[in-house]
Amino acid sequence: PGRWQGRARFVVLQTCFGDGHAFLAAWRAWREDPRRCDRLVVVAIEPDPLSREGLRARHAGGPDTAGQALAEALVAAWPPRTPDLHLLDFEGGRVRLMLALGAVAEWLPQLTLQADAMWLDGVTPPLGDSGARMAGRLGALAADGATAAVPGHDPAVMAGLAAAGFQVEPLPGTGDAEALTVARHAPRFRPPPP
């Protein structure tokens, strides 16, 4: 939240939407922050989307009323499971979820955006298999000063992010929190944005 304050738009790239918990957490943080950005845009890729019923079951009986209301809005807007880019608008269009259904390796080359933050869950096999090309694409999608977080300390992911212009730092897990690799985009050369 501290990074989006005072900005017109903040863009998050998420490579594994799953059941939407990270999206719902970002939306809730945006909603509760009086100094929030004007627009929050989340571009999320999901290779194996849940059905509407499956999504509803994952969020049934949420921990609190406010969180449950957001989850219900997500379930109500949930698109058909067709491989496409689905636009879901909330808060009168001020929160936009662009949900790309399909494989990460297929979607990343098609995207044109400048992500301010990246949650790269589920990229280990694609980055490990295709290495620099996939990580280089993540670098091309990063805005100046973009941050990235990846669960674990996969050496191929860390090397790929470093080659794409990210300063990479492994963080150990503590308590219930898992180990993370965090990175900040700081390339030596930056081509003009698309």
Side-chain angles (χ1 to χ4, degrees), residues 44-191:
I45 302 170
E46 178 50 50
D48 189 22
L50 293 168
S51 66
R52 182 175 299 209
E53 295 75 25
L55 188 68
R56 181 178 289 115
R58 291 278 179 98
H59 293 287
D64 58 68
T65 306
Q68 191 62 35
L70 298 182
E72 288 172 6
L74 176 63
V75 169
W78 196 245
R81 294 188 292 177
T82 57
D84 202 352
L85 183 63
H86 301 273
L87 301 179
L88 288 71
D89 282 335
F90 306 96
E91 307 284 347
R94 293 184 64 204
V95 174
R96 172 169 277 184
L97 172 60
M98 301 175 76
L99 186 59
L101 301 183
V104 172
E106 293 173 12
W107 272 108
L108 277 183
Q110 296 183 56
L111 296 176
T112 302
L113 57 95
Q114 294 289 285
D116 299 297
M118 298 180 182
W119 178 244
L120 305 175
D121 194 8
V123 299
T124 302
L127 280 181
D129 293 343
S130 56
R133 190 184 78 217
M134 189 73 69
R137 186 66 190 137
L138 291 171
L141 296 173
D144 290 336
T147 57
V150 186
H153 297 151
D154 185 282
V157 172
M158 293 169 65
L161 288 173
F166 287 88
Q167 295 174 342
V168 179
E169 178 185 1
L171 297 179
T174 55
D176 290 339
E178 65 182 311
L180 283 178
T181 297
V182 295
R184 179 171 295 280
H185 195 243
R188 290 186 294 260
F189 170 74
R190 179 79 175 155

Side-chain angles (χ1 to χ4, degrees), residues 4-10 30 36-40 94:
W4 67 37
Q5 291 178 349
R7 297 183 57 177
R9 181 181 65 191
F10 192 82
W30 177 88
R36 64 185 171 250
C37 55
D38 292 333
R39 292 193 69 210
L40 175 63
R94 293 184 64 204

